[in-house]
Amino acid sequence: LLNLVWLNNTKAFGHCAGFHSSTLKWGDIRLHVTETGLEYLEWEIIDNSDGQGKSRRAGTECRIYATPHSPQTCPVQDYKEYAQRRPPAMRYEDAPFYLSIKPVCNLAALYWYNSQSLGKNKLSKMVKTMCEKGNIPGRKTNFSVYQSCSSLSEAQSNQLGLICNNL
């Protein structure tokens, strides 16, 4: 689930200026609903123009919409599941977005994640690990995560989604 949420965020927000997985906070991505009832996630950019970096602004280019016609591949459903599996103490705005996984976790357990951030090294190897497990050729690094993900064909991208569900 963690890999899938990371992949969804990277594909959706990786092109947005200032988006960095390693510094992402829980409050940076918010769940919203359109007037027609369609859910979407929006990365809210911290605006430093006031010198304090406390105000947030949203941009329509930094959204990912639910796919109600395909719930098994819906990024909003993945986000909501990830939110439910986080410890309640890690649901505040300044909590790290990506949390470390409990070493021994029963899928029926309520919480799958520890109350500590996922390490930088683990984050930096995610796309490489997924591509290796999926036998996707070529050098894939997180140096330029968005380019790595966007350079994949749709079939390869779908394959990564399947791999994420099985890691």
Side-chain angles (χ1 to χ4, degrees), residues 97-143:
F97 191 90
Y98 299 108
L99 301 177
S100 63
I101 301 170
K102 288 186 174 183
V104 178
C105 184
N106 178 341
L107 291 179
L110 191 55
Y111 307 118
W112 295 352
Y113 302 95
N114 292 312
S115 293
Q116 69 182 49
S117 66
L118 188 65
K120 253 186 188 178
N121 291 337
K122 180 77 172 175
L123 266 172
S124 70
K125 294 179 182 172
M126 283 183 122
V127 78
K128 180 181 177 187
T129 303
M130 288 187 282
C131 287
E132 285 173 356
K133 298 237 182 213
N135 295 320
I136 296 173
R139 185 169 180 255
K140 304 294 181 201
T141 68
N142 284 24
F143 177 72

Side-chain angles (χ1 to χ4, degrees), residues 17-20 23 28 43-58:
F19 183 82
H20 302 287
T23 58
D28 292 344
W43 176 54
E44 296 186 357
I45 303 157
I46 295 177
D47 187 357
N48 287 319
S49 62
D50 64 357
Q52 297 186 20
K54 293 187 178 182
S55 63
R56 295 180 179 270
R57 64 181 173 85

Side-chain angles (χ1 to χ4, degrees), residues 83-103:
Q84 288 179 338
R85 300 298 180 175
R86 293 171 67 91
M90 299 307 282
R91 294 182 192 156
Y92 61 93
E93 279 194 18
D94 288 335
F97 191 90
Y98 299 108
L99 301 177
S100 63
I101 301 170
K102 288 186 174 183

